[in-house]
Amino acid sequence: MHNLSDLVQQAVATNAMQTGNLNLPDMTEDSSNIMIYQVSLKTPAQIDIVFLSGSASKNPTVEERISKLTGPMLSARLESKQKEFEERYDQIFNVNNKIDSKELSVGRAALSNLLGGVGYFYGQSKIALPKGFTQKNGDKYIPYWPAALYTAVPSRSFFPRGFLWDEGFHQLVIWRWDVHISMDIIGHWLDLLNSDGWIPREQILGAEALSKVPEEFVLQYPSNGNPPTLFLAIRDLASGIHAKQFSDDEAEKISTFLERAYIRLNSWFQWFNSTQSGKYEGTFYWHGRDNMTTRELNPKTLTSGLDDYPRASHPNDEERHVDLRCWMLLATNCIRSIAEFLKMDSALEKDYYKMSNQLSDFGTLNKWHLDDKIGAYFDYGNHTEKVRLRWYDVQDKDTMRRELLRETLQPPQLQLVPHVGYVSLFPFMMGAIPPESWVLEKQLDLISNTSMLWTDYGLRSLSRTSSIYMKRNTEHDPPYWRGAIWINMNYMILSALHHYSHEDGPYKGRAGELYDKLRSNLIRNIVKNYDETGFFWENFDQKNKGKGKGARSFTGWTSLVVLIMAESYPTLHR
């Protein structure tokens, strides 16, 4: 079935060559199990297609059944359902006084597209064997167990499968629409935990999903993680119970869900804590970076979700990644909150309390990651800025070929990695900076600086002052997180601005002003692109008037525009 589109195109092409007509051949095959039907229309046009069992019989009710499923009755039913949807949307997101009518329709489209992309998948992931190991049949992987996954997807046309780090952002929208769907989806993801507490970050389940994935991305590596963004939604559910946001029936079901999920969440957290830890207690780094590569300007960190965002130029175990530290803070606080809510009081919960306090310590955060001069947070590692890609002539058997290879012009040394961008703002995004701290003022300076991150369309992923800004990573690898505007990170930054604009402190007013401007810029640009193209986009071009880029229709985390319009944000760590 996953080859169906290709088969139809081949049949049309073959018939066109034989008859000159661009249509399907009027034919059947023996023992066929599917029918393809072609309808040609002049637009604008409407057509109702009814699948009706027993329609070949002379049953007098057939005509009546068809009339109930087509024409005026179908139109009336669709209009009724659309009205129900719009009324429920208005009730849940309450945006009427916050945006205009044109923006309202775009928000509804974003939500309906995200919900329409929720699907059910079944199959087996391919798990890479350790280096040097191969099965007797030559395979360098073993299959995961056959598993089901109910999940939203980033893009039905381009990424029609589950992505672990995307899903937490999807659920921030979905739980507000239907908390039961959200719990079901989160439960499916947690059921993919193996005995070590690891979840494959990309779910390629079934032949159809596999047909859409380049070979180099198919194998999943059990040493590699992905941001545990599901904790964003789980924390909201737990906080919502405390704040009495839910009905008694919903609160009871959420409490039961959190109690059942607790052991899996703990196992998942412990996997991160044991496999992604740094050289020193309380430090973390994304494992799996290629420290032998000669082809990448800066070795990728796919596991972080931020793919080619610049990290230390020469990966080793001395690295400390500030974004992962912040994700661990989120996870610890979330599990600690659930444990307190469920009145658990074992040694494990005491460990979470202790670790939460350690990761919340502002002095330690600053000691490991803060550059005092500019007030930015950075990764730490073995790094040099003096690297470039250069063409080399390479001998390949009897021929010479040109290859673009990395050249290091200055030896790396242990230092903060001086690239301002999304990673620099993670402590700010998570609300880890005290509202009275001078560091908060510096963060607001970075955000509002038009020479660095600020644009009229949203915040750039990487500062224009970075040596790697908009640089290709390889000959065939254009910049991805090196300047483009991404909505998930802008949403997190916006939520932090909203948070600090309501916290007593000297920077409250300025945070509020930046919040209003950034929110307006994001909404305006997403709506403009949707009106012009009919699509939501994967990211947006900071150099070309905010034009949509990448995959379309991308209604994964770009659908966060719904929450931006509603001014609905995740609960921040305090």
Side-chain angles (χ1 to χ4, degrees):
M1 286 298 294
H2 65 281
N3 290 322
L4 186 58
S5 295
D6 293 336
L7 291 171
V8 171
Q9 289 180 24
Q10 289 168 13
V12 170
T14 301
N15 194 56
M17 287 189 290
Q18 293 174 349
T19 67
N21 297 321
L22 196 63
N23 57 14
L24 288 167
D26 189 11
M27 57 176 286
T28 60
E29 293 182 357
D30 293 339
S31 303
S32 58
N33 62 357
I34 190 165
M35 181 176 74
I36 308 296
Y37 203 89
Q38 181 175 350
V39 179
S40 300
L41 299 165
K42 287 185 178 180
T43 57
Q46 279 189 327
I47 181 170
D48 298 337
I49 299 175
V50 183
F51 292 91
L52 194 67
S53 58
S55 58
S57 68
K58 296 182 180 180
N59 192 320
T61 64
V62 168
E63 289 298 324
E64 181 187 353
R65 289 166 68 196
I66 291 174
S67 69
K68 287 182 177 180
L69 295 168
T70 60
M73 291 191 73
L74 175 61
S75 296
R77 190 73 176 130
L78 287 172
E79 287 171 12
S80 171
K81 283 293 180 183
Q82 181 174 335
K83 186 179 179 182
E84 283 179 31
F85 174 84
E86 290 174 355
E87 288 174 351
R88 186 153 181 251
Y89 183 94
D90 295 345
Q91 178 187 0
I92 290 172
F93 297 108
N94 191 26
V95 296
N96 291 331
N97 298 323
K98 299 173 182 176
I99 56 175
D100 62 33
S101 58
K102 184 172 74 170
E103 293 169 344
L104 177 63
S105 64
V106 174
R108 288 171 177 163
L111 174 67
S112 59
N113 271 279
L114 178 66
L115 294 172
V118 174
Y120 180 86
F121 302 84
Y122 187 85
Q124 292 177 271
S125 295
K126 294 182 178 182
I127 311 302
L129 291 169
K131 276 188 177 180
F133 285 82
T134 306
Q135 293 214 67
K136 289 181 180 178
N137 62 1
D139 287 343
K140 294 185 177 181
Y141 67 89
I142 56 172
Y144 220 47
W145 64 81
L149 180 64
Y150 181 54
T151 185
V153 300
S155 168
R156 279 178 281 176
S157 55
F158 201 80
F159 297 116
R161 55 192 181 277
F163 288 80
L164 181 56
W165 113 278
D166 295 60
E167 198 55 35
F169 294 107
H170 300 162
Q171 294 314 308
L172 286 174
V173 180
I174 292 174
W175 82 254
R176 287 168 168 85
W177 179 257
D178 190 319
V179 71
H180 304 95
I181 291 177
S182 193
M183 287 189 292
D184 200 356
I185 287 173
I186 294 170
H188 269 84
W189 274 99
L190 294 179
D191 278 348
L192 293 171
L193 279 165
N194 70 5
S195 59
D196 295 324
W198 172 74
I199 303 176
R201 70 183 189 89
E202 191 170 339
Q203 294 296 321
I204 309 165
L205 304 179
E208 186 172 10
L210 189 62
S211 70
K212 285 280 189 179
V213 184
E215 188 176 348
E216 65 265 30
F217 298 122
V218 170
L219 296 189
Q220 303 296 296
Y221 294 85
S223 60
N224 294 356
N226 220 203
T229 55
L230 291 177
F231 280 109
L232 290 169
I234 292 167
R235 181 180 58 181
D236 273 0
L237 297 182
S239 300
I241 294 177
H242 284 296
K244 301 190 181 304
Q245 273 181 261
F246 302 105
S247 67
D248 291 344
D249 180 57
E250 284 179 332
E252 184 179 346
K253 288 179 179 177
I254 294 168
S255 299
T256 302
F257 169 76
L258 293 176
E259 188 173 3
R260 290 177 176 175
Y262 182 79
I263 190 168
R264 286 174 172 78
L265 294 173
N266 171 61
S267 181
W268 193 25
F269 176 86
Q270 295 301 337
W271 180 87
F272 275 98
N273 198 30
S274 60
T275 68
Q276 307 297 297
S277 57
K279 197 169 183 178
Y280 304 99
E281 185 180 3
T283 65
F284 302 92
Y285 72 98
W286 296 107
H287 290 228
R289 298 184 70 211
D290 185 358
N291 61 4
M292 302 298 290
T293 182
T294 58
R295 290 180 170 83
E296 296 181 71
L297 179 63
N298 187 275
K300 276 188 176 180
T301 318
L302 289 170
T303 49
S304 73
L306 302 175
D307 298 26
D308 64 347
Y309 187 96
R311 309 279 183 166
S313 60
H314 292 69
N316 64 16
D317 62 0
E318 296 278 356
E319 282 190 272
R320 301 194 291 263
H321 291 154
V322 65
D323 56 330
L324 181 51
R325 179 190 173 91
C326 291
W327 288 122
M328 294 299 286
L329 173 62
L330 165 71
T332 347
N333 285 335
C334 187
I335 296 180
R336 171 184 166 182
S337 176
I338 294 171
E340 288 175 353
F341 171 72
L342 297 174
K343 295 181 171 56
M344 296 179 173
D345 189 26
S346 68
L348 181 62
E349 281 67 55
K350 290 183 174 67
D351 286 344
Y352 278 121
Y353 188 88
K354 178 183 175 184
M355 190 169 183
S356 173
N357 288 339
Q358 287 176 339
L359 291 175
S360 300
D361 187 83
F362 190 53
T364 304
L365 170 67
N366 293 346
K367 172 187 170 185
W368 291 128
H369 293 288
L370 181 66
D371 183 317
D372 290 335
K373 291 181 180 178
I374 60 173
Y377 291 98
F378 295 127
D379 290 340
Y380 177 89
N382 197 32
H383 181 73
T384 175
E385 286 288 282
K386 301 296 183 181
V387 292
R388 67 181 182 183
L389 292 176
R390 181 183 155 199
W391 287 103
Y392 284 85
D393 291 324
V394 179
Q395 183 82 31
D396 187 6
K397 295 182 180 178
D398 298 329
T399 60
M400 294 290 290
R401 58 182 172 81
R402 300 199 77 203
E403 193 167 349
L404 197 60
L405 301 175
R406 184 169 79 160
E407 182 179 41
T408 302
L409 303 172
Q410 183 185 76
Q413 61 183 24
L414 292 173
Q415 59 176 297
L416 292 174
V417 182
H419 295 280
V420 174
Y422 289 161
V423 165
S424 312
L425 299 174
F426 258 83
F428 173 78
M429 290 184 214
M430 296 295 183
I433 303 171
E436 69 280 357
S437 171
W438 65 271
V439 179
L440 179 56
E441 181 181 26
K442 292 292 187 180
Q443 297 278 291
L444 299 178
D445 288 344
L446 295 175
I447 288 169
S448 59
N449 190 329
T450 55
S451 297
M452 300 181 84
L453 301 178
W454 186 273
T455 79
D456 290 337
Y457 318 103
L459 296 180
R460 298 181 182 93
S461 46
L462 188 63
S463 169
R464 289 170 61 189
T465 60
S466 167
S467 60
I468 293 184
Y469 173 70
M470 294 306 292
K471 292 280 183 70
R472 300 182 75 88
N473 205 44
T474 69
E475 180 185 359
H476 305 291
D477 201 359
Y480 201 44
W481 291 84
R482 296 184 177 179
I485 297 163
W486 294 80
I487 300 307
N488 59 334
M489 292 291 99
N490 270 270
Y491 173 75
M492 294 294 289
I493 294 163
L494 198 63
S495 70
L497 288 169
H498 185 266
H499 165 74
Y500 285 114
S501 72
H502 290 82
E503 292 285 300
D504 289 335
Y507 314 112
K508 179 178 179 178
R510 189 175 177 207
E513 290 172 8
L514 287 175
Y515 167 78
D516 289 337
K517 289 179 183 177
L518 180 58
R519 177 177 177 269
S520 176
N521 288 347
L522 290 166
I523 293 173
R524 184 177 62 251
N525 191 55
I526 292 171
V527 170
K528 175 176 175 286
N529 272 277
Y530 185 80
D531 285 344
E532 290 177 354
T533 67
F535 291 110
F536 296 96
W537 293 82
E538 184 180 4
N539 55 67
F540 298 87
D541 192 342
Q542 80 288 1
K543 299 174 78 175
N544 189 14
K545 298 181 180 179
K547 186 177 180 181
K549 291 172 56 183
R552 62 173 193 182
S553 170
F554 194 96
T555 42
W557 58 46
T558 302
S559 63
L560 289 166
V561 68
V562 172
L563 303 186
I564 294 172
M565 290 174 174
E567 298 190 276
S568 183
Y569 303 106
T571 310
L572 284 186
H573 162 68
R574 295 172 187 264

